[in-house]
Amino acid sequence: MLILIGAAAVATMAQDTSIAASNAVPVPGTITIASATGAALPAAFDDAVRQAMLNARFTPLPGQGHGLYAATIAVTQKSSGVVTAGSRPAPPPLATLTGGVSLSMPAGGGRLSDLVVTELKVTITRRSDAQPVWSGSAVTARVTGTAAGATDIVAKTLADAVLAQFPHQAAGPISIP
């Protein structure tokens, strides 16, 4: 039995194969890392993403223009108010029989610090055709001036959380306490 397939049918089959290939989950390989804004990525986030990429079996390469994939990194931070940090709450005010009120301040003088919401988004594209093949993001709110709010800790926590999702695609950013 001999089956003849027309050129149009072959072209359609080839197109379907390339669509399926573009939707395939990326296999870890070489990757370059750059900021989404084009500006230099903060060192703590650059280091954290590179380490998380290694843990996800990617091989980060220096510079741009080579590697199987390119990772675009976006870091956004915004202040979401002020909180007290570093002290115990003050006792409630005391009233006296003469009508006066006595307020006591907490020992150690609690300080006001910013509550900063940080989001890290990683988008992986094929370098050959700039097609996005995977993206993930994570968000956290931390108090500045605390151990948990240190930039390197926030960067590591978010980078590890984002790339721990790989190769699965999450519906939106995951929240990290």
Side-chain angles (χ1 to χ4, degrees):
M1 175 189 260
L2 180 62
I3 299 176
L4 296 175
I5 300 176
V10 171
T12 302
M13 287 175 21
Q15 182 181 9
D16 289 346
T17 303
S18 69
I19 291 170
S22 70
N23 292 334
V25 173
V27 175
T30 56
I31 193 164
T32 56
I33 300 169
S35 169
T37 64
L41 197 59
F45 283 92
D46 186 51
D47 293 344
V49 170
R50 285 182 188 284
Q51 185 58 51
M53 286 286 182
L54 284 168
N55 294 343
R57 300 184 341 262
F58 284 94
T59 304
L61 299 175
Q64 298 299 307
H66 50 278
L68 183 58
Y69 300 105
T72 304
I73 312 303
V75 179
T76 57
Q77 293 183 305
K78 68 176 184 173
S79 179
S80 286
V82 178
V83 296
T84 58
S87 68
R88 287 178 251 138
L94 300 173
T96 64
L97 292 175
T98 60
V101 175
S102 172
L103 297 174
S104 62
M105 296 299 290
R111 65 187 193 287
L112 295 177
S113 298
D114 286 330
L115 179 65
V116 176
V117 176
T118 305
E119 183 175 8
L120 173 68
K121 182 173 184 179
V122 177
T123 303
I124 298 175
T125 58
R126 275 194 308 267
R127 189 178 58 83
S128 62
D129 60 5
Q131 280 294 110
V133 294
W134 183 85
S135 68
S137 62
V139 65
T140 190
R142 303 283 174 97
V143 178
T144 60
T146 64
T151 303
D152 57 334
I153 299 298
V154 171
K156 180 180 179 356
T157 301
L158 290 176
D160 289 348
V162 169
L163 285 153
Q165 301 173 66
F166 182 83
H168 304 290
Q169 191 69 53
I174 59 171
S175 180
I176 308 298

